[in-house]
Amino acid sequence: MGLSSALASAMSGLRANQAALSIVSSNVANSQTPGYVVQTPNQIEVTTGDFGSTAMTTGVSRELDSYVLNQLRTETGGSGYADQMANILKQLQSVYGTPGNSGTLETALNNFTTALQALSTSAGSSSAQTVALGAAQALAQQLNVTTKGIQSLRSNVEQDLGTSAQQANAAMQQIADINTKLQGLSANDPSAATLMDQRDQAINTLSKFVDVRVTTDGSNQANIYTTTGVQLVGAGLASQFSFASAGALSATSLYNADPAKSGVGALNIKLPNGSQVDVVANNVVSSGRIAADLKLRDQTLVQAQNQIDQLAATMSSALSDKTTAGSTVSGPPAGFDLDLAGAQPGNTVNITYKDTATNTQRQITLVNVTDPAALPLQNATNANPMRVGVNFSGGMSAIAAALNTALSGSHLTFSAAPSPATATTLRVTDDNTGLANVNSASTTKTISSLTSGSPQLAVFTDGGQALYTGAITASGSQITGLAGRIAVNTQLVSDPTRLSVYNTSPVTPAGDTTRSDYLYSQLTNAVFSYSPTTGLGSANQPFTGSVSNYLQQFLSIQANASTQATQLQQGQSVVVSTLQAKFDSTSSVNLDSEMSNLIQLQNAYAANAHVMSVVQSMMNTLIQAQV
């Protein structure tokens, strides 16, 4: 029995060596195969006879660090996000151009203000008027071009969403198919190892597009979820992204949770259980290329459009709007009379009062809204100024009643001003409780006539003839997309002398620079407040400054954002490379190690063969002795 046991042990050793040799051979052959994880034999001891034991190979193990692999996938998603953000923001900088170069907003605005200054210096010469008009047209065209560039980037991102969704679907389906093939196979099965390599590669590909969290159950099935808990892949089942593109986007193509109102492509995901989820509304993804595309399309590039729309709006209003202080009402109650005659949709009444109960200075902006479907206007919590929409053409009694209802807690009282005031005069006073003191009130109206007798001039219009007044309708605000539509007033194009002549009865004297001085001052010295939707300031503390200050500020912010995105991209690249190297150090084939294993196997094989030879010799001797 001793010789038989020895022979069995030697033969099992040879079989184990052959299996190990096959695995070493596979490792060496696949040393350059992407995604191949190095394998080692699983060998166990089996008792045989009264003495000794045999060796049995039960399968293979994949040598990988699961923790590092999960970290690598997380950072791969971050890298996909950072790459796309940096790429698009770099292209956005190309749209703005290099500061100081021709063909940029900054240069176009500087050229226009310089031309207005020259118009005053030359006492309104016809050649200076022509130059100023040309500079205004160049500025409007540069705003148009910038809008086109921003919306082109949004359209490209929209298209990339569809492509990324398809690639993510392909990866999820591949993972599900491999899950099906792995059903019933042990994790140590050599054929399972190859399938798991392929599955890991597919998961790595998926992690470039969305954030993933992977768990493996007892039946060797990979279940994949986003970090928000939405299942992407289950046992043999895969979710599917569906994207309905909206085509080329414009400034008014904005996301809305209501599909009927949304102007961009809808991205949904159909889960393995058959339910469908809006990816954007439910924040399904937080990293990867798809998350970057969504943020760029619906936030980053929309904000960039808001910035140049605000520039176009402020510039237009700065030149065409006239603010008139209200007439003082001594009281009691004290306040002001405000003439609303000639107010355009979007024109405003601005009221400042002191809340004596809290010793707080408050502001209210009454906006002329003629579309009832746009009411009430929305305000941020504790907004100051607070905007209240009302139709200025509804009659003073109706206007006063609407305002008293809307501002019932302000301790202000609105009424139709009594005779001798006109039927277009609104009165605002305190309510005689001593809880509110009206400090000031004024009306801001857009001057439409080129010869109104005032220096205000509608140099820029919405399209060609339509005044920009900031009108608000149910479909949105006039400011949205204005930079893409802005143009020089066609009446001014037909008669450039109106850059200097602001009155016809009596006629503005030759050499009078009142209008050109005013236009220049409004663009260079006047201070305005800018919407927080531009990314500057906040609702309670909006950014204030001149038109030039505002342009320089948002261009600087965009340049910084691009720089930071590039730095994040470079940082993520380093992190991914480091983690990949760490993963490869344990999971990739090391040829030196395999050659060392090969030598050990060769020696072990020879030793087992020698044992068999000795056993055979001893058996022959034993047989001969018995004979």
Side-chain angles (χ1 to χ4, degrees):
M1 293 298 294
L3 291 178
S4 297
S5 296
L7 183 60
S9 295
M11 291 180 65
S12 70
L14 288 177
R15 287 193 293 269
N17 289 154
Q18 288 174 341
L21 185 61
S22 177
I23 292 170
V24 168
S25 175
S26 176
N27 287 340
V28 172
N30 287 281
S31 61
Q32 300 300 316
T33 301
Y36 180 83
V37 175
V38 66
Q39 299 174 8
T40 58
N42 292 335
Q43 189 171 302
I44 63 173
E45 178 185 6
V46 179
T47 301
T48 177
D50 296 329
F51 302 98
S53 60
T54 60
M56 178 181 293
T57 302
T58 60
V60 299
S61 293
R62 299 166 70 236
E63 298 299 315
L64 56 80
D65 188 326
S66 297
Y67 176 78
V68 173
L69 180 59
N70 289 333
Q71 287 295 108
L72 178 59
R73 287 167 177 164
T74 298
E75 297 303 332
T76 297
S79 182
Y81 181 94
D83 286 347
Q84 182 68 341
M85 292 294 291
N87 176 38
I88 298 300
L89 289 180
K90 185 176 181 180
Q91 293 182 55
L92 180 60
Q93 287 305 295
S94 298
V95 171
Y96 290 134
T98 304
N101 288 0
S102 60
T104 66
L105 282 174
E106 189 176 27
T107 300
L109 179 59
N110 289 339
N111 289 343
F112 182 44
T113 55
T114 300
L116 289 175
Q117 188 177 35
L119 182 59
S120 291
T121 304
S122 65
S125 71
S126 59
S127 60
Q129 290 168 355
T130 301
V131 170
L133 181 65
Q137 291 174 315
L139 176 54
Q141 290 168 1
Q142 190 60 47
L143 284 165
N144 299 160
V145 168
T146 304
T147 294
K148 185 177 181 180
I150 292 172
Q151 296 310 315
S152 177
L153 289 178
R154 288 188 72 218
S155 298
N156 291 344
V157 168
E158 171 92 343
Q159 183 178 5
D160 189 67
L161 268 172
T163 303
S164 296
Q166 290 177 357
Q167 292 176 319
N169 285 342
M172 289 188 292
Q173 189 58 55
Q174 183 181 3
I175 297 166
D177 291 343
I178 294 174
N179 271 346
T180 300
K181 294 177 181 177
L182 284 170
Q183 286 180 345
L185 293 180
S186 167
N188 296 326
D189 191 313
S191 60
T194 300
L195 290 172
M196 286 189 285
D197 284 350
Q198 295 172 359
R199 186 174 66 183
D200 281 348
Q201 280 291 89
I203 295 173
N204 293 344
T205 298
L206 179 62
S207 68
K208 297 176 184 177
F209 301 102
V210 297
D211 46 297
V212 299
R213 179 170 58 86
V214 184
T215 62
T216 305
D217 60 26
S219 60
N220 201 19
Q221 299 295 288
N223 297 284
I224 304 177
Y225 305 84
T226 65
T227 53
T228 56
V230 175
Q231 187 173 24
L232 300 177
V233 180
L237 297 173
S239 295
Q240 289 287 298
F241 287 106
S242 62
F243 182 69
S245 175
L249 303 184
S250 68
T252 57
S253 303
L254 302 175
Y255 171 77
N256 192 299
D258 182 351
K261 297 179 180 178
S262 186
V264 296
L267 180 63
N268 296 298
I269 183 169
K270 186 177 181 180
L271 305 180
N273 63 11
S275 62
Q276 187 159 291
V277 177
D278 185 326
V279 173
V280 182
N282 293 280
N283 297 314
V284 170
V285 295
S286 59
S287 187
R289 191 180 182 96
I290 289 178
D293 281 339
L294 291 173
K295 183 171 183 179
L296 286 164
R297 185 195 68 177
D298 300 335
Q299 298 178 41
T300 306
L301 294 176
V302 170
Q303 186 179 84
Q305 183 65 49
N306 288 342
Q307 289 170 347
I308 62 168
D309 283 343
Q310 180 75 81
L311 175 65
T314 302
M315 189 172 63
S316 300
S317 298
L319 304 183
S320 64
D321 285 3
K322 182 178 181 180
T323 298
T324 305
S327 302
T328 303
V329 176
S330 57
F336 296 88
D337 284 342
L338 300 152
D339 185 9
L340 306 186
Q344 303 279 347
N347 286 170
T348 60
V349 169
N350 304 288
I351 302 168
T352 301
Y353 73 98
K354 184 177 182 180
D355 182 341
T356 59
T358 60
N359 197 31
T360 304
Q361 200 78 1
R362 299 192 181 280
Q363 292 179 297
I364 295 175
T365 299
L366 309 181
V367 184
N368 184 13
V369 179
T370 56
D371 183 356
L375 297 174
L377 299 183
Q378 300 300 311
N379 287 282
T381 304
N382 298 322
N384 193 25
M386 182 174 69
R387 298 194 313 159
V388 179
V390 63
N391 190 339
F392 286 8
S393 62
M396 289 303 106
S397 297
I399 294 173
L403 292 174
N404 285 328
T405 299
L407 298 168
S408 58
S410 65
H411 296 288
L412 300 178
T413 298
F414 295 87
S415 61
S419 182
T422 67
T424 59
T425 302
L426 177 70
R427 174 167 292 184
V428 55
T429 63
D430 63 77
D431 64 357
N432 251 342
T433 63
L435 296 175
N437 292 330
V438 185
N439 304 126
S440 65
S442 62
T443 58
T444 299
K445 303 175 186 176
T446 304
I447 303 302
S448 58
S449 172
L450 274 60
T451 54
S452 64
S454 300
Q456 286 80 13
L457 175 66
V459 176
F460 299 104
T461 55
D462 187 346
Q465 293 181 325
L467 291 175
Y468 173 73
T469 62
I472 300 173
T473 65
S475 60
S477 173
Q478 187 184 9
I479 192 174
T480 304
L482 176 65
R485 305 187 304 268
I486 194 171
V488 174
N489 194 326
T490 54
Q491 296 179 54
L492 188 59
V493 173
S494 301
D495 187 2
T497 62
R498 299 311 184 197
L499 282 167
S500 302
V501 178
Y502 57 92
N503 204 0
T504 56
S505 182
V507 176
T508 304
D512 188 330
T513 61
T514 299
R515 174 163 276 177
S516 55
D517 288 344
Y518 173 81
L519 299 178
Y520 175 75
S521 178
Q522 286 294 98
L523 292 180
T524 56
N525 299 322
V527 174
F528 304 96
S529 179
Y530 302 89
S531 169
T533 61
T534 61
L536 282 69
S538 63
N540 293 328
Q541 291 184 316
F543 174 79
T544 58
S546 68
V547 173
S548 297
N549 292 153
Y550 167 69
L551 173 60
Q552 293 170 358
Q553 186 70 15
F554 83 71
L555 288 178
S556 175
I557 286 177
Q558 289 291 358
N560 288 338
S562 178
T563 299
Q564 291 173 3
T566 299
Q567 291 174 344
L568 178 61
Q569 177 192 34
Q570 294 169 345
Q572 280 296 124
S573 179
V574 171
V575 171
V576 171
S577 296
T578 301
L579 285 171
Q580 186 66 61
K582 188 174 182 179
F583 179 77
D584 290 345
S585 67
T586 57
S587 303
S588 294
V589 176
N590 185 318
L591 290 178
D592 290 338
S593 177
E594 295 303 320
M595 291 303 99
S596 176
N597 290 338
L598 189 61
I599 292 172
Q600 292 178 15
L601 289 172
Q602 183 181 16
N603 292 336
Y605 191 93
N608 279 300
H610 185 65
V611 169
M612 291 185 68
S613 177
V614 170
V615 169
Q616 182 182 19
S617 176
M618 293 177 68
M619 283 186 171
N620 288 337
T621 301
L622 181 60
I623 291 171
Q624 290 173 358
Q626 290 176 346
V627 172

